[in-house]
């Protein structure tokens, strides 16, 4: 280490002349040098001292203003699809919406080509023609209680299942089966009857009244006229079987009568 001494002398308070400067260890201290005494050159830097212990953390300062948002980075790779979740319960059905307006009908397309005609089917069996007979009587004829009405004419007939001789009351059925019978005509009271007069007409088969075929008329005086009619289906098991129309109840006149019989099966 070097010490520097100034050759300038000054008078201290006691009138002694001393020199200024620094003194090495153990020397008598000298008064400080006046401002005109320049410092010596700086010595070399000493070795760094040991780092002291870290002091306590200071108080956190106030948060500064938010910085400008940076640019968006590139999109990352899409992750794998997770497993499908459990299906939830079905919700209640919503209210049906109003029906929308009907759309405009489109134009009719062109007619397609007619297909080929198919083969003709086999001819079916010919149906059986029903056998029948119609008998009638035009002029007025008298009748008494229990008498059979006479049919003096035959109109048309087909087959041999039903036969009738003109001017006869009996119509004969020659084949077993079911037959449809219809009758109509007009009746009026005969002379000399007591009133009121009830006349009953009914169909008979083999002398027995056929249920459901009876009609009756009630006359209050001799000028009364009544139209009568009935229809019925009968079954014939034993042949030949005779059918008639029979009047009862008193004297009467019958006219314009007709009976039709048709074999059903």
């Amino acid at each position: 280490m070097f010490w520097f001494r100034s050759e300038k002398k000054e008078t201290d308070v006691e009138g002694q002349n001393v020199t200024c400067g620094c003194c090495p260890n153990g020397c008598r201290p000298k008064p400080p040098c006046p401002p005109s005494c320049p410092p010596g050159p700086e010595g070399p830097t000493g070795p760094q001292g040991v780092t002291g212990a870290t002091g306590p953390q200071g108080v956190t300062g106030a948060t500064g203003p938010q910085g400008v948002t940076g640019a968006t980075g590139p999109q990352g790779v899409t992750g794998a699809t997770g497993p499908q979740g459990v299906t939830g319960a079905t919700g209640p059905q919503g209210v049906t919406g109003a029906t929308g307006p009907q759309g405009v009908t489109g134009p009719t397309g062109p007619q397609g080509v007619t297909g080929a005609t198919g083969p003709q089917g086999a001819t079916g069996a010919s149906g059986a023609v029903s056998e029948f007979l119609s008998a009638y009587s035009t002029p007025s004829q008298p009748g008494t209680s229990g008498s059979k009405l006479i049919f003096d004419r035959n109109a048309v007939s087909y087959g041999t299942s039903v036969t009738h001789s003109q001017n006869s009351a009996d119509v004969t059925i020659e084949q077993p089966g079911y037959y449809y019978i219809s009758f109509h005509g007009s009746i009026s009271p005969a002379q000399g009857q007591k009133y009121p007069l009830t006349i009953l007409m009914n169909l008979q088969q083999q002398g027995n009244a056929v249920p459901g075929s009876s009609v009756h008329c009630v006359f209050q005086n001799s000028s009364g006229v009544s139209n009568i009619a009935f229809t019925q289906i009968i079954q014939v098991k034993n042949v030949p079987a005779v059918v008639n129309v029979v009047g009862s109840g008193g004297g009467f006149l019958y006219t314009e009568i007709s009976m039709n019989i048709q074999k059903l099966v």
Side-chain angles (χ1 to χ4, degrees):
M1 181 177 298
F2 298 92
W3 289 269
F4 296 92
R5 179 182 297 179
S6 174
E7 295 299 332
K8 183 179 179 182
K9 296 180 180 180
E10 296 182 356
T11 303
D12 60 13
V13 293
E14 296 179 352
Q16 298 179 353
N17 293 327
V18 293
T19 58
C20 65
C22 297
C23 129
N25 290 335
C27 72
R28 182 173 177 266
K30 299 179 179 181
C33 296
S36 61
C37 182
E42 183 177 348
T45 302
Q48 182 175 348
V50 179
T51 302
T54 302
Q57 182 174 347
V59 179
T60 302
T63 303
Q66 182 174 349
V68 179
T69 302
T72 302
Q75 182 173 349
V77 179
T78 302
T81 302
Q84 183 173 350
V86 179
T87 302
T90 302
Q93 182 174 351
V95 179
T96 302
T99 303
Q102 182 174 351
V104 179
T105 303
T108 303
Q111 182 174 350
V113 179
T114 303
T117 303
Q120 182 173 348
T123 302
S126 299
V129 178
S130 297
E131 298 185 20
F132 58 85
L133 180 141
S134 177
Y136 67 96
S137 179
T138 301
S140 296
Q141 300 186 57
T144 58
S145 182
S147 64
K148 303 175 183 178
L149 276 59
I150 296 174
F151 302 93
D152 61 0
R153 295 286 185 272
N154 289 336
V156 293
S157 64
Y158 178 81
T160 59
S161 294
V162 186
T163 60
H164 172 257
S165 298
Q166 295 186 138
N167 294 311
S168 171
D170 296 337
V171 179
T172 304
I173 296 176
E174 306 287 354
Q175 298 291 332
Y178 290 89
Y179 291 81
Y180 175 82
I181 300 177
S182 65
F183 169 83
H184 70 269
S186 297
I187 61 172
S188 59
Q191 295 294 326
Q193 303 300 307
K194 295 182 179 181
Y195 300 96
L197 173 66
T198 300
I199 301 298
L200 178 70
M201 293 285 176
N202 68 278
L203 176 69
Q204 291 189 358
Q205 178 181 348
Q206 291 296 90
N208 298 313
V210 176
S213 65
S214 299
V215 292
H216 73 278
C217 302
V218 178
F219 298 99
Q220 302 297 330
N221 53 58
S222 60
S223 62
V225 177
S226 179
N227 294 321
I228 57 174
F230 64 77
T231 60
Q232 189 56 278
I233 296 175
I234 64 172
Q235 180 182 13
V236 177
K237 295 181 179 179
N238 301 315
V239 292
V242 176
V243 295
N244 314 99
V245 177
V246 179
S248 60
F252 59 90
L253 296 174
Y254 61 92
T255 185
E256 300 291 345
I257 63 172
S258 176
M259 185 165 63
N260 302 305
I261 302 179
Q262 179 181 359
K263 188 175 189 295
L264 299 177
V265 288

